[in-house]
């Protein structure tokens, strides 16, 4: 069983939590897990895009140097 955490949160955070609970038809614990998974996935996707963009820039610079 997971320990309970008590914290003070803003109204916006509570609104998001309840919206997720309603959309996913789940309890608070599962809603928090859903939000954590969602943001972890978003961060991973963001990092992958940044790596791809950096790789493209490096390739472009190498092509320019090769032409000169």
């Amino acid at each position: 069983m997971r320990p309970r955490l008590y914290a003070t949160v803003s109204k916006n955070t509570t609104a998001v939590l309840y919206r997720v609970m309603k959309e996913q038809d789940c309890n608070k614990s599962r809603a928090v897990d859903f939000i954590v998974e969602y943001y972890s996935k978003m961060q991973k996707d963001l990092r992958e895009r940044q790596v791809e963009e950096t790789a493209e820039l490096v390739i472009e610079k190498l092509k320019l140097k090769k032409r000169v």
Side-chain angles (χ1 to χ4, degrees), residues 44-60:
K44 182 182 174 192
D45 292 345
L46 179 63
R47 272 181 261 153
E48 288 174 359
R49 277 185 277 162
Q50 288 174 340
V51 168
E52 289 174 9
E53 289 174 4
T54 303
E56 289 174 8
L57 289 172
V58 169
I59 291 169
E60 286 177 19

Side-chain angles (χ1 to χ4, degrees), residues 4-59:
R4 289 186 177 183
L5 297 176
Y6 296 95
T8 303
V9 294
S10 69
K11 288 182 182 180
N12 292 338
T13 304
T14 306
V16 168
L17 186 61
Y18 280 102
R19 192 182 91 218
V20 169
M21 288 171 58
K22 185 176 179 179
E23 289 176 1
Q24 299 294 317
D25 192 31
C26 60
N27 60 18
K28 284 183 189 176
S29 176
R30 289 190 190 242
V32 169
D33 292 341
F34 175 82
I35 292 169
V36 168
E37 278 182 44
Y38 178 80
Y39 281 104
S40 295
K41 182 178 180 271
M42 293 296 288
Q43 288 295 336
K44 182 182 174 192
D45 292 345
L46 179 63
R47 272 181 261 153
E48 288 174 359
R49 277 185 277 162
Q50 288 174 340
V51 168
E52 289 174 9
E53 289 174 4
T54 303
E56 289 174 8
L57 289 172
V58 169
I59 291 169

